Amino acid sequence: MQFKENVQVAVLGLIDHKFRSFLTMLGIIFGTASVIAMVSIGNGAKEQAIAKYQDLGVGNVIVRDKDLSNEELAEARKNFSRGLSMDDAATIREVVPGVVMVAPQAEEKMTAYYGDRSSKGTVIGVTPEVTDILNYSAEKGLFINQDHCDRTLRVCVLGATVARDLFRYEDPLKQQVKLGDQWFEVVGVMQSKALFTETVGELAARDLNSDIYIPLSTFTQRIPRSNNLGSELRQVTVKLQSSSILLPSAALIRNIVNRHHFNNDDFSVIVPYELMKQEERESRIYNLLLASIAAISLLVGGIGIMNIMLASVLERTSEIGIRRAIGGRKADIMGQFVTEAIAISITGGIIGVLLGISFSLGISWFTDVHTSLTLYSVFLAFGFSVLVGITFGYLPAKQAANLNPIDSIRHE
């Protein structure tokens, strides 16, 4: 039989046995949809991870003051450590080769007030360099600039969550918010940032959307420390010329700060680039695991196709015998049954692709899970479904082709 006739017979077989064909396709449909949905979830997680570390700057080294108990702080101060300070930042800028910029920042957890509304957050004193070092930009208004720092102005830039909590549908710009006993004018609102829900050293569980940025000079003069033993700075972010010198520079920075702190373990050095690469490797393994689990559904669907095709061979034994008797070759019989199996898998694959795309979009729209649909995942799932049809359709087709024509005609 010609290929065109094989296709026509396969299509007519699907139409004549709609319900049976649909049940046979179910494994392929859900397997294909699962592969697409699982891969899109994995890609979404990977994109969020990359965005998260880009917010920290993948070409940066971060020196972070550690969270210590009062007893540990007292011990460190007794051992002559002043904690993270502007002197540390200045020394890093002068001594470490390849430093482009250094951005010190101070932090204090506070509650912001506007009218009868309040929002808990972290007040962060920054310098203008932070916009060039970190992936920070204001969605509305301005970020902290040099003029704000030089004049020690009481201005602030609100994180997305704080702005929403305090102002809801109002425009925050030029409004006055209260931080402690000080009033600050809102000059900007930040873009929404990725959350740090994983453990990343001293950045564990960090919500950047609850940050409130003010000039570092203003912070130093107007924001009191909650702990008199606390450090002058909470973080120093160092931007380097290239990622190739990140690790040796991080080691040098660690040695410099360690000497300044008289070997007290009251700081940590974080390299976002290394963390991002590690998370990318873990994401690839995670994606492979998800796709493998979903692919099992396709294999189950293939077994279903083989089962139905074997039943079809038994059901159409007489038809096979007649075709062989009037000159049909083994290749013609095999081609017919393989084509029918492929027709089932292709139809199921198309339905599965549409369902998988719907699942991916639905998950993203109706839940907090971010998904990223890619063309390669669609082609991967669909191609695998066709391969399953060919593989599991071959055995029944071979069995049909090897039937004895005379015995087949006599079969009832």
Side-chain angles (χ1 to χ4, degrees):
M1 294 179 65
Q2 300 297 317
F3 176 72
K4 184 177 179 181
E5 291 177 293
N6 286 343
V7 173
Q8 289 174 343
V9 171
V11 171
L12 288 174
L14 292 176
I15 295 173
D16 290 342
H17 303 90
K18 298 182 184 66
F19 188 65
R20 186 178 73 178
S21 299
F22 176 72
L23 292 177
T24 307
M25 291 176 193
L26 279 179
I28 298 296
I29 292 172
F30 287 115
T32 305
S34 298
V35 169
I36 294 173
M38 291 295 190
V39 172
S40 68
I41 291 172
N43 285 334
K46 179 181 177 181
E47 287 181 1
Q48 281 188 319
I50 292 174
K52 178 178 66 179
Y53 290 113
Q54 283 176 340
D55 285 337
L56 292 177
V58 293
N60 298 337
V61 174
I62 297 174
V63 185
R64 185 95 178 152
D65 195 53
K66 279 189 176 181
D67 287 319
L68 301 177
S69 65
N70 289 333
E71 292 77 10
E72 290 171 328
L73 271 175
E75 183 67 22
R77 299 299 174 260
K78 189 173 70 174
N79 293 329
F80 309 109
S81 173
R82 296 167 48 202
L84 201 59
S85 66
M86 292 296 293
D87 288 342
D88 293 325
T91 305
I92 291 170
R93 186 185 290 109
E94 293 171 4
V95 175
V96 179
V99 171
V100 177
M101 217 171 283
V102 175
Q105 67 183 55
E107 298 178 11
E108 195 67 53
K109 291 191 180 296
M110 301 182 74
T111 301
Y113 297 92
Y114 174 74
D116 59 349
R117 300 172 195 152
S118 64
S119 179
K120 292 183 178 180
T122 304
V123 177
I124 303 180
V126 296
T127 58
E129 288 84 2
V130 74
T131 56
D132 296 319
I133 293 180
L134 300 172
N135 187 26
Y136 286 5
S137 60
E139 188 174 43
K140 294 180 181 179
L142 306 170
F143 195 73
I144 303 302
N145 58 39
Q146 192 62 50
D147 182 57
H148 297 149
C149 293
D150 292 341
R151 296 167 59 193
T152 319
L153 297 179
R154 285 183 292 174
V155 295
C156 67
V157 179
L158 303 181
T161 299
V162 177
R164 185 175 61 250
D165 290 345
L166 295 181
F167 295 96
R168 298 178 185 173
Y169 302 107
E170 299 177 53
D171 185 3
L173 297 183
K174 298 185 178 179
Q175 300 290 346
Q176 296 285 327
V177 299
K178 192 175 184 181
L179 302 174
D181 60 353
Q182 302 286 324
W183 289 94
F184 287 77
E185 180 184 346
V186 179
V187 295
V189 177
M190 296 293 288
Q191 294 177 336
S192 182
K193 295 290 183 180
L195 303 181
F196 287 89
T197 54
E198 294 84 2
T199 300
V200 185
E202 293 297 313
L203 299 176
R206 180 74 183 277
D207 182 0
L208 299 176
N209 298 310
S210 295
D211 290 343
I212 304 168
Y213 301 92
I214 67 174
L216 181 59
S217 56
T218 307
F219 185 101
T220 303
Q221 292 187 13
R222 297 187 177 274
I223 304 297
R225 295 184 191 178
S226 58
N227 190 334
N228 292 330
L229 295 176
S231 302
E232 180 184 3
L233 298 178
R234 181 63 166 161
Q235 179 174 307
V236 175
T237 307
V238 183
K239 183 177 182 180
L240 298 166
Q241 287 177 347
S242 78
S243 58
S244 62
I245 61 172
L246 276 173
L247 295 182
S249 297
L252 178 57
I253 290 170
R254 184 178 286 106
N255 288 334
I256 291 171
V257 180
N258 199 40
R259 284 201 304 271
H260 275 216
H261 291 217
F262 295 91
N263 297 320
N264 286 281
D265 186 24
D266 57 355
F267 71 95
S268 58
V269 177
I270 303 160
V271 184
Y273 180 81
E274 285 297 303
L275 295 172
M276 185 185 74
K277 289 300 180 185
Q278 179 182 346
E279 188 146 352
E280 281 183 344
R281 290 191 293 269
E282 292 173 355
S283 293
R284 282 196 292 269
I285 297 172
Y286 176 68
N287 289 350
L288 181 61
L289 178 62
L290 288 179
S292 300
I293 293 171
I296 293 173
S297 300
L298 280 173
L299 294 177
V300 173
I303 294 170
I305 290 176
M306 184 169 65
N307 187 38
I308 291 299
M309 293 304 296
L310 286 171
S312 179
V313 169
L314 186 63
E315 184 182 278
R316 296 158 62 183
T317 301
S318 297
E319 174 194 332
I320 294 168
I322 293 171
R323 288 184 175 176
R324 289 295 308 280
I326 61 176
R329 298 170 300 171
K330 286 186 177 182
D332 296 327
I333 303 299
M334 281 195 68
Q336 176 189 340
F337 281 91
V338 169
T339 303
E340 290 182 17
I342 294 174
I344 291 173
S345 62
I346 287 178
T347 307
I350 292 172
I351 298 172
V353 165
L354 297 176
L355 193 62
I357 293 173
S358 302
F359 280 165
S360 299
L361 297 177
I363 290 170
S364 185
W365 286 342
F366 298 111
T367 70
D368 293 332
V369 178
H370 175 68
T371 61
S372 177
L373 191 63
T374 56
L375 198 59
Y376 90 86
S377 66
V378 174
F379 281 120
L380 173 68
F382 182 73
F384 196 48
S385 69
V386 175
L387 180 63
V388 164
I390 295 173
T391 304
F392 286 91
Y394 176 78
L395 182 61
K398 186 176 181 181
Q399 180 176 324
N402 289 334
L403 289 175
N404 185 286
I406 296 175
D407 293 338
S408 300
I409 293 172
R410 292 174 178 174
H411 181 81
E412 294 182 1

